Amino acid sequence: MKRMNIGLLGIGTVGGGVFELLKLNTQEIQRKTSTDIKIIVVADKNISRAKEIAGTSIEITDDAFKLVEDKKIDVIIELIGGTGIAKDLVVKAIENKKHVVTANKALIANFGNELFELAKKNNVTLAFEASVAGGIPILKSIREGLAGNKIEWVAGIINGTTNFILTEMRERGISFVKALSEAQSLGYAEADPTFDIEGIDAAHKLTILASLSFGIPMSFKDVYVEGIKTLEQKDIQYAEELGYRIKLLGIAKKRDKGIELRVHPTLIPEKRLIANVNGAMNAVVVKGNMVGPTLYYGSGAGAFPTASAVVADLIDISRSSKVPSYGFENSKINVIPIYKIEDVICGYYLRFRVTDKPGVLAEITKLFGDKKISIDAMLQKEPQEQESEADIIMLSHLAVEQEINSIIHAIEALAATVGKVIKIRLEDLSK
Ligand code: NDP
Ligand code: HSE
């Protein structure tokens, strides 16, 4: 049997999961690969905790750079996270002709382009399946299973923490802060959870999905990002009354002159399967021009689901699989313009408060009519006792964002309007 020696950098949530998985499934993996895939050294800052997880029969060090120089090691698994020391270690490992497997989406989204080039130059693999949607083999599906298609759009719930928070708020009515703290204790959240709640983690993953779907360089800086922090409970309820769920979606869509790349809370019709993806689960819809919409669902975070993807990459390496990093030939990667948020096209949920008097609605619907934008649905909440103002909710048909913004300004300028208009984007996701 062949032997593949692994150096594991970071034995925290995911690293611990990888260690355990390789132990539990040794025989199954050997039946599939005829390779003994063995972690021979672990590096972690916290040596005593590392010993608790890995035992004492294995070498453990707090010097991660020792591993990337170690001639006995064939593959480095990087599970430290971030773009500081993790990047230096990955670069050194590649320069030392070691294959690298990582779950680090921040690293790939920000530095993937240069790292893939370095890996190619050194004739090694840089594998990153676990970086998007945890245990769902979504990158493999796009690169390989859908390779015969032109991808038209991708939309996904790709952050488990925020989906967990939104689900807990909707189903159990618990507060944002309590739901976040539960997500942290379950090991879903990033070391800095603002990456989750502000949509940055989802933007990292969307960057990777878009790059592999359209054959474009990693373009993280061009992603429009809005998180879930300002989302109000009442909008979750109103959306539901109108037959929609609100999810933090990452959306990458090809249009005639470029690509839309955006992460934001989104209304989705509740009859879509993806609208019913709850808790820390992830789901991604990929629309290929030949296959039509396809849906991938599974655990998007946590020790074992993520370990499952890391180990799949190890197995690919043991089989000397030669699928290009982007799924496209490196020389065929094209820079394509990314639409500004003002130019994206989608539906919109608008909520505003107006004084309850005749003629106000007519004024507002005229604003839509003047721009030739249809109103798909409307909800008017009766004023509570002793109130003279009512909440109005309108769902628009597809519109260019700057047109909707100008309607919003006009609504806010009306004498009857109280306060600001709340805008949430809406996607139908049917075709
Ligand atoms: P953890 O914080 O649980 O694990 C990271 C480990 O690396 C910790 O034990 C940490 O020690 C150790 N570490 C930090 N700095 C160093 C260093 N300089 N040298 C050696 N060890 C170090 O993170 P996760 O396991 O959750 O995440 C790892 C990676 O996987 C990240 O890139 C993350 O984004 C990604 N990921 C995580 C998922 C999840 O569900 N958790 C899912 C998908 C991807 P200490 O704790 O003492 O700092
Ligand atoms: N913090 C991430 C999430 C981990 O909640 O989805 C998985 O990438």
Side-chain angles (χ1 to χ4, degrees), residues 150-392:
K150 249 190 203 170
I151 306 296
E152 295 179 352
W153 56 263
V154 183
I157 297 171
I158 44 181
N159 182 269
T161 302
T162 44
N163 203 43
F164 178 85
I165 294 171
L166 291 177
T167 306
E168 292 294 294
M169 285 172 72
R170 189 178 68 81
E171 288 181 356
R172 286 169 55 204
I174 70 171
S175 73
F176 180 94
V177 174
K178 186 157 188 294
L180 171 61
S181 127
E182 276 185 33
Q184 285 177 295
S185 60
L186 288 165
Y188 302 146
E190 293 303 297
D192 176 356
T194 56
F195 273 52
D196 296 294
I197 59 186
E198 287 177 3
I200 298 161
D201 177 72
H204 287 146
K205 293 165 179 166
L206 184 71
T207 301
I208 299 170
L209 284 173
S211 178
L212 272 59
S213 296
F214 306 124
I216 58 172
M218 299 286 164
S219 314
F220 171 64
K221 290 188 177 63
D222 295 324
V223 182
Y224 173 80
V225 193
E226 235 176 68
I228 62 164
K229 223 171 157 187
T230 53
L231 207 55
E232 290 180 43
Q233 187 84 35
K234 66 155 70 166
D235 292 312
I236 297 176
Q237 278 156 14
Y238 290 160
E240 227 167 319
E241 285 180 44
L242 289 158
Y244 291 82
R245 295 271 165 83
I246 300 182
K247 296 288 180 187
L248 184 72
L249 275 197
I251 299 160
K253 205 182 275 185
K254 192 103 175 258
R255 280 178 43 203
D256 49 349
K257 296 202 177 84
I259 290 166
E260 292 184 6
L261 269 187
R262 47 194 168 94
V263 171
H264 48 70
T266 312
L267 270 78
I268 313 169
E270 71 184 1
K271 60 185 176 223
R272 301 272 171 270
L273 287 171
I274 192 170
N276 295 284
V277 170
N278 292 319
M281 302 305 275
N282 279 195
V284 184
V285 185
V286 185
K287 164 86 191 297
N289 67 335
M290 294 292 136
V291 69
T294 56
L295 171 69
Y296 308 82
Y297 168 82
S299 292
F304 284 132
T306 314
S308 159
V310 169
V311 172
D313 276 347
L314 291 177
I315 291 173
D316 271 354
I317 290 171
S318 80
R319 290 169 171 163
S320 308
S321 167
K322 286 277 175 247
V323 181
S325 303
Y326 296 97
F328 289 74
E329 290 303 318
N330 280 25
S331 59
K332 299 287 185 328
I333 297 302
N334 294 331
V335 177
I336 300 177
I338 310 294
Y339 281 90
K340 291 202 172 68
I341 192 66
E342 297 77 25
D343 298 322
V344 310
I345 297 178
C346 61
Y348 294 89
Y349 162 108
L350 303 183
R351 168 173 61 84
F352 41 93
R353 209 162 167 76
V354 290
T355 37
D356 192 23
K357 58 178 190 200
V360 176
L361 265 183
E363 269 187 281
I364 292 168
T365 51
K366 183 172 181 307
L367 294 171
F368 283 85
D370 290 349
K371 294 268 179 199
K372 300 201 170 23
I373 297 171
S374 316
I375 297 167
D376 271 353
M378 209 198 84
L379 188 64
Q380 178 170 359
K381 305 306 282 186
E382 290 305 314
Q384 305 283 315
E385 228 174 283
Q386 293 171 334
E387 271 187 351
S388 57
E389 294 151 4
D391 275 347
I392 308 264

Side-chain angles (χ1 to χ4, degrees), residues 9-15 43-46 49 61-62 64 78-82 85 89 102-106 130-131 134 187-191 201 205 300-303 306:
L9 303 177
I11 189 160
T13 304
V14 181
D44 200 285
K45 273 199 315 207
N46 189 332
R49 197 187 50 203
T61 172
D62 59 2
E78 183 280 306
L79 295 172
I80 288 175
I85 189 166
L89 288 162
T102 182
N104 189 338
K105 49 266 162 147
S131 65
Y188 302 146
E190 293 303 297
D201 177 72
K205 293 165 179 166
T306 314

Side-chain angles (χ1 to χ4, degrees), residues 108-128:
I108 299 297
N110 282 291
F111 299 105
N113 300 324
E114 63 187 79
L115 293 174
F116 297 154
E117 208 168 308
L118 189 67
K120 197 165 191 311
K121 202 170 113 198
N122 285 280
N123 204 20
V124 294
T125 298
L126 169 58
F128 51 97

